[in-house]
Amino acid sequence: MKIDVLTLFPPMFEAPFSFGIFKRAVDNGLVEVKVTNIRDYTHDKHHVVDDSPYGGGAGMVLKPGPIFEAVEDIKTVGDEPPHVILLTPQGRLFNQQIAQEFSQKKHLVFICGHYEGEDERVREHLATDEISIGDYVLTGGELPAMVVIDSVLRLIPGVLGSEESALDDSHAGGLLEYPQYTRPEDFRGWKVPEILLSGDHARIARWRREQIIKRTLERRPELINKANLGLEDKKLVARLISGKSKAPHAHKASAGE
Ligand code: JBZ
């Protein structure tokens, strides 16, 4: 996969690709990343990328020219045109399904806006997709682009090592994870659940599955409805809902499970 990033702050993208899984993916040629400074596509002496909004108002708007020229200067990969993703609060809300969708593409282009946003013609006539990572206020599209790239890269075959992707199996299905413990067995008087020390792998597997269902129901009940549950899971959900279910989102109050 080829990933192009257009930004006014290229150094922000140095860290993620310099470490760990991303670095290895780049080194192994599984992904090629090119970060381009939008400012390089200005033609005036002062390299101006923004201007005041028509109609008045506070703040500055990114000019369309440099962004269009930067995208038009990107070499296409193969025969398909790239998927051009604008990070914007107005975009569709990013999720794992969209990550899957993006992971199938050969070429992604991320446009990271800043200031009050970009000229509307970027959205209308250049972007093929608009994405938001969530409902909180950010100052630019760089961090959202990194979030999207992270989730997409780890879906590309070979990017995760066998150990990391095996780990991923237990996350599959859109449910929360079961509780994990490591040594010591007794930490400051807080003990690891007995069952995990029992060596009874069938019981442990059942306990973990129960924890997954309980946790998800308690903390993210909306995920339960979307999940692919087997008969035993559904029975457990029914039992938990009819019985002694705890208040949703009572995270800190739920230590006694
Ligand atoms: C995003 C102007 O640049 C921005 C500002 C906020 C923002 C983005 C880009 S993308 N918020 C989000 O993903 O919600």
Side-chain angles (χ1 to χ4, degrees):
M1 176 186 278
K2 168 96 185 293
I3 295 177
D4 277 281
V5 178
L6 308 187
T7 171
L8 290 171
F9 304 105
M12 286 183 74
F13 288 86
E14 282 168 18
F17 295 104
S18 303
F19 301 98
I21 290 165
F22 282 17
K23 182 174 190 297
R24 194 178 62 202
V26 172
D27 291 347
N28 292 345
L30 292 168
V31 59
E32 185 189 340
V33 182
K34 185 162 184 227
V35 181
T36 297
N37 195 334
I38 295 166
R39 205 176 292 281
D40 293 345
Y41 288 85
T42 54
H43 302 292
D44 60 308
K45 189 168 132 213
H46 295 104
H47 305 289
V48 174
V49 292
D50 57 351
D51 205 341
S52 46
Y54 275 117
M60 299 295 269
V61 175
L62 285 180
K63 296 158 68 65
I67 300 176
F68 270 78
E69 288 188 35
V71 171
E72 285 158 2
D73 202 31
I74 290 170
K75 282 185 201 70
T76 55
V77 173
D79 34 51
E80 271 176 62
H83 197 60
V84 181
I85 302 158
L86 179 67
L87 286 315
T88 164
Q90 298 164 52
R92 54 186 179 133
L93 199 53
F94 191 63
N95 60 24
Q96 192 64 20
Q97 193 192 315
I98 301 175
Q100 288 280 359
E101 186 189 310
F102 288 175
S103 73
Q104 307 296 313
K105 309 278 185 192
K106 281 202 195 80
H107 191 184
L108 300 177
V109 175
F110 292 91
I111 302 174
C112 307
H114 239 271
Y115 311 113
E116 309 322 306
E118 47 291 310
D119 186 286
E120 184 67 14
R121 288 162 290 192
V122 170
R123 153 184 353 276
E124 282 181 337
H125 304 294
L126 189 64
T128 53
D129 208 342
E130 299 174 46
I131 293 291
S132 165
I133 62 160
D135 296 335
Y136 27 79
V137 181
L138 298 168
T139 55
E142 283 79 10
L143 291 169
M146 290 180 216
V147 167
V148 172
I149 291 168
D150 186 305
S151 66
V152 169
L153 280 191
R154 60 191 301 295
L155 294 175
I156 294 173
V159 165
L160 298 186
S162 54
E163 204 156 295
E164 293 144 353
S165 41
L167 197 87
D168 189 50
D169 291 346
S170 55
H171 286 264
L175 298 172
L176 301 184
E177 188 46 293
Y178 54 77
Q180 303 263 30
Y181 295 87
T182 186
R183 277 177 283 273
E185 199 178 308
D186 182 330
F187 176 68
R188 301 185 178 181
W190 298 307
K191 299 196 177 55
V192 173
E194 264 301 319
I195 191 165
L196 297 178
L197 313 173
S198 70
D200 184 339
H201 297 295
R203 271 185 72 216
I204 291 171
R206 231 178 303 126
W207 180 84
R208 285 181 166 166
R209 189 66 196 171
E210 271 178 33
Q211 293 297 316
I212 288 173
I213 301 290
K214 279 185 183 170
R215 289 217 150 173
T216 307
L217 201 57
E218 229 177 85
R219 301 179 178 208
R220 300 289 305 278
E222 80 280 9
L223 295 181
I224 286 281
N225 306 321
K226 285 189 247 163
N228 229 333
L229 299 185
L231 184 59
E232 283 308 308
D233 291 339
K234 283 180 178 157
K235 282 194 211 161
L236 179 58
V237 169
R239 245 187 296 140
L240 291 169
I241 288 175
S242 64
K244 40 152 190 75
S245 70
K246 291 165 196 146
H249 300 287
H251 289 191
K252 292 297 174 190
S254 66
E257 53 200 36

